[in-house]
Amino acid sequence: MPSKATTLDATRHTLEDLLLARGTDAIPIVLIASDDDLAGLSDLERRWAGARDWKPSQGAVLPVPDETGAVGKVLFGTGGAEWAKDTPMLTGALPGKLPAGDYRFAGPMPDPELAALGFLAGCYRFTRYKSGNDKAPRRLVLPEGADRDQVLALAEALYFGRDLINTPASDLGPAELEAAARELANAFGGTVKVTEGSTLLADNFPMIHAVGRASDRAPRLIDIHWGAESAPKVTIVGKGICFDTGGLNLKPGGSMGLMKKDMGGAASALAFALMVMRTKLPVRLRVLIPAADNSVAGNAFRPGDVLTSRNGMTVEIGNTDAEGRLVLADALSFADEEAPDYLVTFATLTGAARVALGPELPPLYADDDDFAGKMLNAARAVGDPVWRMPFWAPYDKLLKSNIADVSHISDGPFAGSVTAALFLKRFVHDAKRFAHLDIYGWVPREQPGRPQGGEPQAARALFQFFRQELGS
């Protein structure tokens, strides 16, 4: 029987054990940018590297023995002097290539916080369903200049988001997603209100109900509040489709295998919330998660149906596999009613976004140029990249319906991510700034600091934006 999902306390304890106090005796990691840097090594160390034909290519790791045969030093190839700008999470390549032990960076790091975070991010493994795991840790001494609490908060949020996405839908449905949200809110003095099942209809969330009504696991809207009411109002909406079969427009098997990650938007929203709460960022945070399964049953919503949304707009259903924008629409209308200063969606929304930009670069749609520019800079600085895409108004006509106010999908194969973003934008009128992130939520091939599996994309980027904007 798999153990209970990792709790926040257990994750925090694990990470605290991995990040050692400054001054702890540990094996030095020496950064080697080019062959020229090898000249600074001892003759024995150079001969060791030469005998193994080791080159300082980016992410290359070479343990070098001391006179006793134990690891006395580690050479770490950066691929050039500009590595910290181009690949700020490169240190995440270390844990998977090092033997168990305690390590420290031998010299100053361009960004000590990211260097430590990258290492901890690379230590992550999802072991809930594994037995007989290697328990021996790779630990790092806190680099000079890094804020321990900040590093731990960011790493904890990454682990939390990854655990949620990696957990199969059998163990993470709408109720379990609610439980994770409650644990998070309760840990930091937040409040939670949940609207569930038929109450969604009574409280005017008809499209969330329509998407989730075919499942035997009741749909719900999770609503978290945290922070002082006088602070800037930041509202995050995360898509929480716990499993997406495609509904009556049933996905083929090959497209359904990763659909446990269709709540990746909710995981990113909660990871962002954890960063905000743990670091006491001065905002009034609200997180809305419409959580549901998109299932098949006799009462499933159908292609051609017309649904009435929370704000009264009628929506013609073109394809039941485009369910995420429906649940988001009701949540956005609800969020917009209080006119927040920032309203941001995280959602694994379209395959078209992956066609356009691939799995590593989520599109960012924003109606405020200043916010968008600062967000791009923040994302680049912390190695959590996004790329701006347009709310291209002329494509709005592609959502025309002959029988309803709007069709929820476009009438052709083009610009699928843009038209999805335009659909969402129709439900936002009073928020001062609106942004939408069309994330993938998954790492298909392991990268430095990003093991294969779930990833709460853009959460660190958004946190960095607010950290800079608020001077925290």
Side-chain angles (χ1 to χ4, degrees):
M1 174 81 69
S3 63
K4 184 181 182 291
T6 304
T7 65
L8 289 174
D9 285 345
T11 299
R12 183 77 175 188
H13 180 72
T14 296
L15 288 164
E16 287 174 342
D17 284 347
L18 293 176
L19 195 59
L20 303 172
R22 291 194 187 98
T24 303
D25 186 41
I27 299 165
I29 299 171
V30 180
L31 273 58
I32 308 292
S34 67
D35 288 338
D36 292 343
D37 291 340
L38 294 173
L41 302 176
S42 70
D43 182 61
L44 180 63
E45 290 165 347
R46 286 196 303 273
R47 285 192 283 115
W48 179 266
R52 279 144 190 82
D53 196 27
W54 186 82
K55 301 295 181 185
S57 58
Q58 192 168 79
V61 175
L62 181 66
V64 179
D66 61 17
E67 62 277 5
T68 70
V71 177
K73 181 179 291 186
V74 172
L75 307 185
F76 182 46
T78 65
E82 296 296 306
W83 69 272
K85 182 174 71 174
D86 300 332
T87 318
M89 296 284 279
L90 182 62
T91 54
L94 285 161
K97 299 177 181 180
L98 292 174
D102 297 343
Y103 298 89
R104 63 177 175 84
F105 295 117
M109 302 299 287
D111 188 324
E113 184 176 292
L114 278 177
L117 177 62
F119 188 95
L120 294 182
C123 289
Y124 173 86
R125 295 293 180 269
F126 184 65
T127 59
R128 179 176 174 181
Y129 301 92
K130 291 277 191 179
S131 57
N133 292 303
D134 177 13
K135 302 287 187 183
R138 286 79 179 152
R139 304 190 298 183
L140 181 72
V141 175
L142 181 69
E144 194 68 38
D147 183 313
R148 178 182 176 83
D149 290 339
Q150 196 77 228
V151 171
L152 289 173
L154 294 170
E156 181 185 14
L158 274 182
Y159 278 45
F160 182 56
R162 288 171 176 177
D163 280 350
L164 289 173
I165 299 171
N166 286 327
T167 301
S170 56
D171 289 322
L172 195 128
E176 290 78 15
L177 190 53
E178 175 191 332
R182 287 189 182 278
E183 180 189 9
L184 177 60
N186 292 340
F188 297 101
T191 62
V192 183
K193 179 183 177 182
V194 176
T195 307
E196 179 182 345
S198 59
T199 309
L200 289 165
L201 291 176
D203 288 358
N204 194 24
F205 299 105
M207 293 206 297
I208 299 174
H209 182 270
V211 168
R213 70 192 183 202
S215 174
D216 59 356
R217 306 194 293 190
R220 64 205 66 205
L221 179 65
I222 303 162
D223 187 357
I224 301 172
H225 284 84
W226 176 89
E229 285 296 324
S230 59
K233 290 181 168 55
V234 176
T235 298
I236 310 297
V237 179
K239 175 186 169 186
I241 299 298
C242 295
F243 195 82
D244 180 18
T245 67
L248 292 176
N249 289 115
L250 193 68
K251 291 178 183 288
S255 299
M256 211 184 297
L258 274 183
M259 282 302 101
K260 70 176 184 178
K261 78 170 184 66
D262 213 20
M263 41 60 66
S268 293
L270 291 172
F272 170 78
L274 200 163
M275 296 176 206
V276 168
M277 295 177 187
R278 180 68 77 181
T279 61
K280 299 181 174 64
L281 204 66
V283 299
R284 198 285 269 143
L285 177 67
R286 186 182 192 188
V287 179
L288 289 164
I289 296 174
D293 292 325
N294 187 21
S295 298
V296 178
N299 64 339
F301 74 116
R302 297 165 290 269
D305 283 357
V306 174
L307 304 179
T308 300
S309 66
R310 177 179 179 82
N311 72 359
M313 191 183 303
T314 56
V315 179
E316 182 181 8
I317 303 303
N319 187 310
T320 62
D321 195 21
E323 83 299 327
R325 65 197 71 183
L326 299 174
V327 300
L328 290 172
D330 272 357
L332 281 170
S333 293
F334 188 39
D336 192 58
E337 290 165 13
E338 66 168 10
D341 296 296
Y342 295 88
L343 177 52
V344 182
T345 58
F346 288 96
T348 53
L349 205 62
T350 69
R354 313 288 78 78
V355 173
L357 297 176
E360 300 172 20
L361 193 57
L364 164 70
Y365 296 88
D367 62 5
D368 182 283
D369 291 341
D370 182 62
F371 165 78
K374 290 178 179 178
M375 178 68 176
L376 290 175
N377 289 336
R380 190 178 302 113
V382 299
D384 192 18
V386 300
W387 193 261
R388 193 178 185 186
M389 295 274 276
F391 281 122
W392 186 247
Y395 287 166
D396 207 47
K397 62 180 177 290
L398 300 177
L399 295 171
K400 183 179 184 297
S401 168
N402 290 327
I403 65 170
D405 294 330
V406 65
S407 173
H408 89 306
I409 61 171
S410 64
D411 61 0
F414 302 121
S417 181
V418 178
T419 54
L422 287 168
F423 177 81
L424 296 181
K425 195 171 186 292
R426 286 174 175 249
F427 297 87
V428 178
H429 302 287
D430 296 326
K432 295 178 179 63
R433 300 165 193 85
F434 171 56
H436 164 58
L437 288 151
D438 190 344
I439 69 170
Y440 190 48
W442 192 262
V443 177
R445 286 176 296 280
E446 184 161 350
Q447 302 168 51
R450 293 178 173 86
Q452 183 182 29
E455 185 71 16
Q457 287 177 308
R460 288 192 303 112
L462 188 63
F463 174 74
Q464 180 68 11
F465 162 79
F466 283 111
R467 189 177 168 189
Q468 293 176 340
E469 191 73 1
L470 299 171
S472 178

